[in-house]
């Protein structure tokens, strides 16, 4: 299976696009719902939790794991790839979603000013600033942390007055910091669930970009280039779902994310 990991439900927005583009593969989705959100936690905690999740996905037979979470990609990916992988599973692979997004985002902007909404963890890591400057050194990038958006999504508040208040406020703050922004990236996998509200609150000329399609294209490309990994993946089009919270909690949330009638298993990650 291809493993996809997120702190909670957010990675389901990535899984949906990945399964559309690559329906033949088998997938295991793991949401660490019991410990979400990650975005306001320390580097040490995010790294520890992410490594536990990656190890669990390896143990259940995923030679390839995608961190379908920007916070985990920004804070834990490099350490896992460089320090842990050679020790625990040298033939397995872990990919993140910051880099493929950074490689593409500059293609959307005419004004060369873009805005990024992300969790506080992703913003303070500066991963997007660093990665984007490699591929598009001419882009002016302004980040804005939205600490309230993930708790709103995890609690199903997708279109309430409270959600509109925070979305409107964060958009105003971002555009006040750089009025020339013509492209906004939702750099947290939970945020596409707020897409309708964000779109309504953004000026019409500003493009709104989500990562699902970008990650799906990049994964397809990776699998074409890495036949040694591809040949180890089952292809019967199935998906299994795992959560660290209760099965009932996950099922209810997954429905909001458009995944009805999923078979969910509970998993404990703590050592
Ligand atoms: N969905 C995650 C991301 O893409 C993180 C959400 C959180 O747990 O704060 O950043």
């Amino acid at each position: 299976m291809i493993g996809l990991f997120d702190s909670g439900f957010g990675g389901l927005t990535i899984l949906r696009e990945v399964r559309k583009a690559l329906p033949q593969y088998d997938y295991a989705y793991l949401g660490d719902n019991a410990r979400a959100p990650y975005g306001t936690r320390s580097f040490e905690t995010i790294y520890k939790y992410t490594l536990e999740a990656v190890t669990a996905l390896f143990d259940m037979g995923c030679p390839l794991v995608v961190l379908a979470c920007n916070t985990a990609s920004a804070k834990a990916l490099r350490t896992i790839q460089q320090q842990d992988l050679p020790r625990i599973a040298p033939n397995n692979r872990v990919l993140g979603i910051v880099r493929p997004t950074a490689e593409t985002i500059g293609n959307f902007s005419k004004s060369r000013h873009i805005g990024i909404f992300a969790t506080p963890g992703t913003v303070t890591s500066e991963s997007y600033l660093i990665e984007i400057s490699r591929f598009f050194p001419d882009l002016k990038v302004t980040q804005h942390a939205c600490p309230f958006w993930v708790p709103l999504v995890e609690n199903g508040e997708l279109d309430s007055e409270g959600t509109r208040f925070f979305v409107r406020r964060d958009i105003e703050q971002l555009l006040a910091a750089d009025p020339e922004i013509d492209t906004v990236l939702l750099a947290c996998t939970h945020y596409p669930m707020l897409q309708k509200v964000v779109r309504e609150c953004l000026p019409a000329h500003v493009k709104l970009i989500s990562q699902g399609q970008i990650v799906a294209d990049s994964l397809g490309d990776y699998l074409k280039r890495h036949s040694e990994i591809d040949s180890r993946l089952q292809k019967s089009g199935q998906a299994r779902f795992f959560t660290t919270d209760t099965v009932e909690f996950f099922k209810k949330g997954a429905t909001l994310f458009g995944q009805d009638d999923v078979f969910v298993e509970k998993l404990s990650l703590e050592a």
Side-chain angles (χ1 to χ4, degrees):
M1 293 178 286
I2 299 175
L4 270 91
F5 167 68
D6 182 54
S7 61
F9 295 117
L12 294 174
T13 64
I14 301 288
L15 179 67
R16 189 174 54 212
E17 298 303 322
V18 166
R19 285 190 84 189
K20 257 192 235 158
L22 305 165
Q24 68 274 34
Y25 291 93
D26 287 359
Y27 297 91
Y29 181 88
L30 169 57
D32 192 5
N33 301 80
R35 302 191 293 194
Y38 280 16
T40 41
R41 293 188 188 274
S42 68
F43 164 83
E44 288 75 14
T45 303
I46 294 168
Y47 162 66
K48 176 178 176 289
Y49 289 179
T50 305
L51 181 59
E52 286 170 358
V54 167
T55 307
L57 286 164
F58 284 169
D59 288 347
M60 68 176 81
C62 300
L64 175 65
V65 172
V66 178
L67 302 183
C69 172
N70 290 277
T71 310
S73 299
K75 294 267 190 180
L77 177 67
R78 183 155 306 182
T79 315
I80 291 177
Q81 283 175 332
Q82 292 177 356
Q83 279 178 29
D84 301 296
L85 210 50
R87 183 173 51 83
I88 60 174
N91 296 323
N92 289 358
R93 291 291 172 264
V94 184
L95 305 175
I97 58 173
V98 171
R99 196 187 164 115
T101 309
E103 273 175 19
T104 323
I105 192 67
N107 300 332
F108 297 98
S109 170
K110 284 206 173 76
S111 72
R112 312 312 286 156
H113 291 244
I114 71 157
I116 292 188
F117 285 131
T119 66
T122 300
V123 167
T124 53
S125 77
E126 299 197 345
S127 295
Y128 271 102
L129 300 183
I130 296 164
E131 292 289 338
I132 292 174
S133 71
R134 286 206 185 115
F135 298 104
F136 301 101
D138 63 316
L139 268 193
K140 177 164 164 40
V141 183
T142 305
Q143 309 188 92
H144 184 81
C146 310
F148 297 103
W149 291 20
V150 169
L152 287 166
V153 172
E154 284 284 312
N155 288 288
E157 297 278 322
L158 303 183
D159 194 2
S160 63
E161 261 319 293
T163 301
R164 277 170 192 275
F165 170 83
F166 285 111
V167 167
R168 203 174 295 124
R169 191 197 64 172
D170 288 319
I171 289 176
E172 278 167 14
Q173 289 174 352
L174 176 74
L175 295 180
D178 181 358
E180 288 184 62
I181 287 171
D182 71 349
T183 304
V184 166
L185 169 68
L186 299 179
C188 168
T189 56
H190 282 70
Y191 296 175
M193 295 306 291
L194 302 178
Q195 185 140 3
K196 178 173 167 280
V197 178
V198 178
R199 186 60 275 174
E200 282 168 19
C201 297
L202 262 185
H205 73 279
V206 178
K207 278 192 205 118
L208 183 59
I209 309 294
S210 300
Q211 297 172 285
Q213 188 65 56
I214 296 171
V215 173
D217 290 347
S218 148
L219 182 60
D221 191 49
Y222 177 90
L223 291 169
K224 270 192 209 128
R225 287 184 288 110
H226 293 85
S227 55
E228 76 290 359
I229 294 286
D230 187 72
S231 62
R232 292 166 64 200
L233 297 170
Q234 288 168 34
K235 298 178 184 81
S236 64
Q238 307 291 313
R240 294 173 68 183
F241 295 84
F242 300 87
T243 179
T244 54
D245 209 308
T246 64
V247 166
E248 295 69 35
F249 177 80
F250 189 88
K251 278 192 166 180
K252 202 162 150 247
T255 306
L256 284 178
F257 280 74
Q259 300 275 347
D260 292 315
D261 291 331
V262 290
F263 179 69
V264 187
E265 294 161 72
K266 188 174 159 69
L267 195 79
S268 178
L269 290 180
E270 276 165 85

